[in-house]
Amino acid sequence: CIYSRTCIAYTLALLIVCLVDSVLLFMFFFFFFQAEDGIRDFCLSRGLGDVYKRQDEIIEARKVVRQVYLDEKIERYIVDIVFATRFPEKYDLKELKDMIGFGGSPRASINLALDARTYAFIKRRGYVIQEDVSAVAQDVFRHRIGLTYEAEANNMTSDEIISKILNKVEVP
C-alpha cells in the first residue's frame, strides 16, 4: 500500500513537471513565431524599443567591419599562426607536436581575420595591426585546438599553446 502511494506521488510530480515544461515551451514558441509587429510591440511595451532602432546600425557596422583594411603581411601572419597549430615542428615548436591533436582549420584563419578587423574597428582604426590579431587569437583558437592526452597529463591548456605559438611565429 505504501509503495503504491509513493508511486502515485511520483507519477503526479512527473506529470506536473511535464505540464509546466509544455506550458513554457508553448510560451517560447508563441513569442518566437509571432509576426515581427507583434514582437516589436512586445519589446516596446517592456522598454526594449531601442533594439529595433539599432538593428540597422548593427547591420551597417558589420558591413563597415568587412571594409577594414587587412594588409597582405597581416594575412600571411594569420596563415602562419594557423599553420603553426597544425605543423608546429615547421615553426620550431617541436615540443608542441605531441601536445596538439589537431590544429586550426581554414575557418580559423577566416574568423581570425574577421575578428581582428572587428577589434580594429572597435579601436576606431581603419586597418588591422599585429596587436589586433594577438588580442583575439586566444578567443578564436581556444576551442579550435585539440589537446592530446599528453597535454592534459602535463596540465597544459590551449591558451598556453596559443601563447607559445604567438611568441614564436614571426611578426610582420
Side-chain angles (χ1 to χ4, degrees):
C1 189
I2 293 174
Y3 294 113
S4 62
R5 286 184 185 163
T6 305
C7 187
I8 291 171
Y10 284 134
T11 305
L12 285 174
L14 183 62
L15 184 62
I16 290 170
V17 168
C18 290
L19 183 62
V20 169
D21 284 346
S22 298
V23 169
L24 291 174
L25 191 62
F26 172 76
M27 288 175 59
F28 170 76
F29 283 110
F30 177 76
F31 286 115
F32 186 76
F33 289 111
Q34 286 292 310
E36 187 174 321
D37 292 337
I39 293 173
R40 183 175 290 132
D41 292 341
F42 175 77
C43 290
L44 287 173
S45 68
R46 284 158 178 77
L48 302 175
D50 291 339
V51 172
Y52 286 96
K53 293 177 188 171
R54 299 190 65 191
Q55 182 179 11
D56 293 334
E57 294 173 7
I58 292 170
I59 291 170
E60 186 62 32
R62 289 175 71 182
K63 291 177 185 175
V64 172
V65 163
R66 293 194 183 273
Q67 294 174 358
V68 171
Y69 178 70
L70 186 67
D71 192 68
E72 283 185 37
K73 292 177 183 176
I74 300 294
E75 286 179 359
R76 186 72 226 157
Y77 178 60
I78 289 170
V79 170
D80 285 342
I81 292 170
V82 173
F83 272 98
T85 65
R86 290 190 229 158
F87 311 107
E89 66 278 0
K90 292 183 180 179
Y91 292 87
D92 198 28
L93 293 162
K94 294 176 185 171
E95 71 275 7
L96 297 182
K97 183 174 176 18
D98 295 330
M99 304 292 176
I100 300 173
F102 60 87
S105 68
R107 286 188 330 173
S109 59
I110 293 168
N111 287 316
L112 184 56
L114 183 58
D115 288 358
R117 283 181 165 152
T118 304
Y119 192 80
F121 174 77
I122 290 170
K123 294 294 184 177
R124 298 179 182 262
R125 273 187 273 105
Y127 54 92
V128 176
I129 58 176
Q130 177 269 331
E131 286 83 11
D132 299 330
V133 176
S134 298
V136 298
Q138 297 281 351
D139 295 325
V140 171
F141 284 108
R142 189 170 288 125
H143 68 283
R144 288 187 164 96
I145 293 179
L147 301 179
T148 61
Y149 291 117
E150 185 175 342
E152 290 179 12
N154 292 328
N155 291 324
M156 184 169 272
T157 64
S158 57
D159 286 344
E160 292 172 330
I161 290 174
I162 296 163
S163 293
K164 288 182 180 185
I165 290 171
L166 290 175
N167 291 333
K168 197 68 170 181
V169 172
E170 186 177 336
V171 178

